[in-house]
Amino acid sequence: MALKLKLEEIETEPDAKGLESAFQTAKQKQLGAIMTFIGGRFFAERKRIVELAGRYRLPANYPQKEYVDEGGLMSYGVDLTDSYRRAAVYVDKILKGAKPADLPVQQATKFEFVINLKAANQIGLTIPVRVLERANQVIK
């Protein structure tokens, strides 16, 4: 089944001027939603990004739960707590003499989906019950 979605990349710097400009561009192009990518500088500006998404009434999906904790609409990403636990197992093995090169590379296996209903209501978006049922956490 083809979704017939058109993806558009808007490059920006994670500063006040760049972010404001990116959201203005998204609104002018009548984009239906936004996604941010993982990056330390963007993560540091998550509160401003969440505020702009609300002001421009753009549904947004974020890569980390912390954006939703700041009032963002939803996130889907790696469960960082699980990743840190798995990394600790590797550190333990290395401290006990294992060679890092001998340890297998692991990919994330646990992801979390978080939805903020308050944010949805603020932009006039109704989240279907079937989507809510799939979330690991729903913030009301």
Side-chain angles (χ1 to χ4, degrees), residues 39-109:
R41 292 176 56 207
F42 284 91
F43 183 80
E45 293 296 329
R46 67 190 176 279
K47 185 173 179 122
R48 181 186 315 267
I49 292 169
V50 165
E51 288 171 356
L52 287 166
R55 184 168 8 127
Y56 284 91
R57 300 180 56 85
L58 280 167
N61 182 47
Y62 303 100
Q64 293 166 278
K65 178 185 181 292
E66 288 81 2
Y67 286 85
V68 180
D69 293 340
E70 292 288 349
L73 177 62
M74 67 177 64
S75 67
Y76 180 75
V78 173
D79 180 333
L80 292 176
T81 303
D82 181 64
S83 294
Y84 292 140
R85 278 191 198 110
R86 292 161 50 111
V89 171
Y90 270 46
V91 170
D92 180 60
K93 289 179 181 183
I94 292 167
L95 291 175
K96 290 179 179 173
K99 293 181 181 177
D102 294 338
L103 297 174
V105 174
Q106 292 190 5
Q107 290 186 329
T109 58

